[in-house]
Amino acid sequence: MKDYLVKATAFNNQVRIYAARVTNTVQDAQKRHGLWPTASAALGRTLAVGAMMGAMLKGNENLRLKVTGDGPIGEIVVDANALGQIRGYVSNPEVHFQYPNGKLDVSAAVGTKGEIQVIKDLGMKEYFTSAVEIISGELGEDFTYYFAKSEQTPSSVGCGVLVDTDNKILAAGGFIVQIMPGATEETIIKLEKTIANIKSVTEMIHNGYGPEDMVKEICCSDNFTILSHLDISFVCYCSKDRYAGGLVSLGKAELNQIITEDKGAEIVCHFCNEKYHFTEAELNDLLSNM
Ligand code: ZN
């Protein structure tokens, strides 16, 4: 089953809903980075939210989510765009904490102090950056708080990742429910009640729910319209050429030093863990073209 998200409208356009299934994408991230279960959950939740926030963009716009808490996982970084392409990494993939009931303790990995930054590249000269403090470290609540504080859009964010004992990702996804201006008190109360009692994202996805089924669950009815679908996958835009450009930008002196001391260079992409090897001859070529 491929990963995708839907964007829907419900309650007579008073509510906007995004729902995503990203199980394969998180599995891909798990394999690339060797994530331990709680690290998979933390990165996977952020990937799910990133995918949906990417779907709020247009054209070539893109965004970066950066969660910097005081927990052992370090930084969580996710890039997303309007095409459903997402990528991400954590500083320390070998992090695992569980609650006594066996559930993955994401806040122990992320920490409960720190900030969430959202950096948007909307094709203008400058990036738009907004930040809020981390309030729980479980990430769903933190992104809910982000939307209320930074985007002034009352939203409810749910996200979850279910990991098997052998690190296999059994389910991953999320939803974002946004209240549009002009929504009635009645609609808001009804939604709050439903969301407070809704099945967890992982339960829904693990039981075979697709994004449309999640929207139905949130609306408690068929009274919604799917506006669009978007396929989601882990895509990194790194290449050997890009890293060659990076080596050139170090300058002649430093490049010379690398050639003399290391007789070559190996560069690892943070985002996808792909390794690029440059031989001594290749580095000399770069140097002579500078
Ligand atoms: Zn890469």
Side-chain angles (χ1 to χ4, degrees):
M1 281 193 296
K2 65 179 178 187
D3 288 349
Y4 69 100
L5 64 80
V6 296
K7 180 174 159 185
T9 178
F11 298 94
N12 297 318
N13 295 322
Q14 296 177 65
V15 178
R16 174 69 47 88
I17 303 170
Y18 294 84
R21 182 180 62 211
V22 294
T23 311
N24 299 326
T25 307
V26 177
Q27 183 69 74
D28 196 352
Q30 190 280 324
K31 278 198 193 127
R32 286 173 187 273
H33 297 297
L35 301 164
W36 289 8
T38 310
S40 284
L43 180 58
R45 288 181 189 185
T46 314
L47 284 166
V49 174
M52 294 185 282
M53 289 179 70
M56 296 172 191
L57 302 173
K58 298 183 293 284
N60 291 325
E61 295 172 358
N62 59 77
L63 60 80
R64 173 165 294 178
L65 305 180
K66 231 165 146 180
V67 180
T68 316
D70 60 348
I73 204 166
E75 211 167 49
I76 306 171
V77 182
V78 164
D79 282 355
N81 63 23
L83 305 172
Q85 300 171 328
I86 51 174
R87 61 177 192 173
Y89 69 90
V90 299
S91 312
N92 181 11
E94 298 183 347
V95 173
H96 184 57
F97 296 99
Q98 276 178 305
Y99 288 110
N101 67 5
K103 281 199 167 178
L104 299 173
D105 187 349
V106 172
S107 74
V110 173
T112 51
K113 288 193 183 69
E115 70 169 14
I116 290 187
Q117 258 188 313
V118 179
I119 304 145
K120 290 184 185 171
D121 175 3
L122 306 177
M124 321 267 186
K125 243 185 190 164
E126 283 169 27
Y127 294 151
F128 292 86
T129 303
S130 45
V132 297
E133 65 267 38
I134 288 173
I135 54 166
S136 86
E138 288 287 338
L139 301 171
E141 286 169 55
D142 299 294
F143 281 105
T144 297
Y145 182 64
Y146 164 80
F147 278 105
K149 193 112 190 246
S150 285
E151 309 234 338
Q152 274 88 43
T153 312
S155 308
S156 179
V157 181
C159 49
V161 178
L162 184 63
V163 189
D164 208 349
T165 45
D166 62 357
N167 284 330
K168 188 177 186 305
I169 309 300
L170 297 173
F175 61 78
I176 300 177
V177 181
Q178 299 189 312
I179 306 291
M180 296 287 113
T184 63
E185 202 58 30
E186 193 195 340
T187 303
I188 296 169
I189 291 169
K190 199 173 166 192
L191 263 176
E192 278 175 351
K193 231 175 163 177
T194 314
I195 291 170
N197 297 303
I198 201 168
K199 289 175 191 146
S200 72
V201 168
T202 48
E203 190 186 346
M204 288 193 272
I205 294 175
H206 195 46
N207 285 332
Y209 281 43
E212 291 88 347
D213 305 312
M214 287 163 70
V215 172
K216 190 173 171 177
E217 199 73 22
I218 292 162
C219 296
C220 278
S221 75
D222 287 320
N223 193 11
F224 60 86
T225 309
I226 300 290
L227 301 173
S228 59
H229 287 77
L230 184 65
D231 287 346
I232 307 292
S233 56
F234 193 107
V235 177
C236 192
Y237 354 105
C238 66
S239 66
K240 194 165 179 179
D241 272 357
R242 277 198 183 207
Y243 283 112
L247 286 167
V248 167
S249 70
L250 292 174
K252 278 188 179 173
E254 198 159 333
L255 194 50
N256 236 325
Q257 196 183 350
I258 292 172
I259 295 168
T260 335
E261 287 176 8
D262 304 327
K263 317 266 181 245
E266 186 171 85
I267 303 175
V268 181
C269 175
H270 271 315
F271 277 97
C272 67
N273 228 9
E274 194 74 48
K275 291 177 183 66
Y276 294 96
H277 185 73
F278 290 86
T279 62
E280 192 174 356
E282 284 172 319
L283 293 181
N284 275 320
D285 271 354
L286 290 177
L287 195 62
S288 59
N289 287 329
M290 274 164 83

